[in-house]
Amino acid sequence: MNILIFGPPGSGKSTHSRRIIEKYNLEYIASGDIIRAEINKGNALGREMKKYIEKGDLLPDTVINTLVLSRLRRKRENFIIDGYPRTAEQVLALENFLYDHGIRIKLAIDIFISKEESITRISGRRICRQCGAVYHIKYNPPKVPGKCDICGGEVVQREDDTPEIVSRRYDIYINNVEPIIKFYKGQGVYVQINGHGGIEEVWERIRPLLDYIWNREKKREEFE
Ligand code: ZN
């Protein structure tokens, strides 16, 4: 089961990804986590990348392709990729890689929310510094304020989660997503999910879809 999940900032894609990996025991490949890990190394490439992220810009395709695909090389099947590909160039790089390794994307989940909703959600978002778990001060606060429920790590706001930067990231996302949607529609694996509403509500829109694909793939394996 190989899945892509994408959506504008604040769509809840990483929250739902975490549920999906737990339920189906998939590898979680989050482009945002990979980028932040690279920045934290503090080398020249990391410093260069930080400039893009601070402005809310996309990283150059060659940089992000190299980072994500080298991660995929280690784990070739049963993954969910969160936040990649984001441009037509990235779709091309990913699909070439998958084609060379005989892998197919089985589901491309697009969680859509409005710009207004995106800004509201992101400005209240808090992240665990240690394990990356996502919280929201209003909708999903940690049990102990400032402390992660899962690992006890410090829960903080990210520097690039301001309304101005989110608004810019939203526009960039929308301006680039069309060819990605077209491609995966063409593959017959694209599904758009309404991302408005609570986490449980949105999860109930995603879950039946996953169960369906999971059962179908299992049947296919048995048949072969
Ligand atoms: Zn944590």
Side-chain angles (χ1 to χ4, degrees):
M1 185 126 113
N2 308 314
I3 301 172
L4 299 181
I5 191 163
F6 51 100
S11 56
K13 56 193 188 313
S14 76
T15 302
H16 293 295
S17 295
R18 281 166 198 280
R19 290 188 171 204
I20 296 169
I21 56 166
E22 238 171 71
K23 191 162 187 234
Y24 297 102
N25 194 25
L26 303 180
E27 172 91 355
Y28 183 38
I29 302 173
S31 64
D33 291 352
I34 295 173
I35 291 166
R36 272 183 294 279
E38 205 58 33
I39 289 174
N40 287 339
K41 285 182 187 166
N43 55 24
L45 175 65
R47 281 194 296 277
E48 195 54 41
M49 287 164 66
K50 199 171 178 213
K51 289 184 200 158
Y52 285 87
I53 302 301
E54 279 171 348
K55 281 190 285 179
D57 284 344
L58 290 177
L59 289 173
D61 289 324
T62 46
V63 173
I64 190 70
N65 286 340
T66 307
L67 288 174
V68 176
L69 297 183
S70 68
R71 178 72 194 278
L72 257 183
R73 228 162 242 127
R74 278 188 273 147
K75 176 73 184 172
R76 286 196 184 147
E77 291 269 22
N78 297 316
F79 57 75
I80 179 162
I81 309 180
D82 167 359
Y84 176 90
R86 292 198 184 191
T87 65
E89 281 298 314
Q90 293 175 19
V91 172
L92 205 61
L94 173 67
E95 288 298 324
N96 278 335
F97 175 90
L98 296 178
Y99 182 82
D100 286 346
H101 294 91
I103 304 169
R104 285 192 61 130
I105 296 297
K106 298 293 163 69
L107 189 62
I109 306 172
D110 174 13
I111 308 181
F112 183 78
I113 57 168
S114 70
K115 186 171 183 176
E116 203 182 8
E117 181 75 4
S118 173
I119 292 170
T120 307
R121 286 188 186 178
I122 294 284
S123 37
R125 182 163 78 171
R126 300 293 181 271
I127 313 272
C128 172
R129 218 188 260 279
Q130 210 158 287
C131 75
V134 183
Y135 299 92
H136 192 280
I137 43 171
K138 195 168 146 206
Y139 306 122
N140 178 32
K143 288 189 187 89
V144 180
K147 211 172 168 190
C148 178
D149 293 351
I150 300 161
C151 76
E154 194 189 351
V155 172
V156 296
Q157 182 170 32
R158 274 201 326 234
E159 283 170 29
D160 53 327
D161 280 353
T162 65
E164 298 73 30
I165 297 177
V166 175
S167 162
R168 193 173 150 70
R169 270 157 58 201
Y170 189 93
D171 291 342
I172 291 173
Y173 173 83
I174 294 295
N175 290 338
N176 283 287
V177 78
E178 206 46 48
I180 305 170
I181 293 175
K182 262 193 195 140
F183 181 84
Y184 289 105
K185 261 187 188 165
Q187 300 279 304
V189 296
Y190 173 83
V191 180
Q192 188 175 68
I193 298 283
N194 172 9
H196 295 96
I199 293 170
E200 294 306 327
E201 226 174 302
V202 177
W203 176 241
E204 282 310 312
R205 294 178 195 136
I206 298 173
R207 197 186 48 80
L209 197 67
L210 292 165
D211 288 341
Y212 169 77
I213 301 287
W214 181 257
N215 289 328
R216 190 194 67 191
E217 290 307 307
K218 245 171 69 184
K219 270 194 202 125
R220 186 172 287 175
E221 264 170 39
E222 280 163 20
F223 190 71
E224 282 163 3

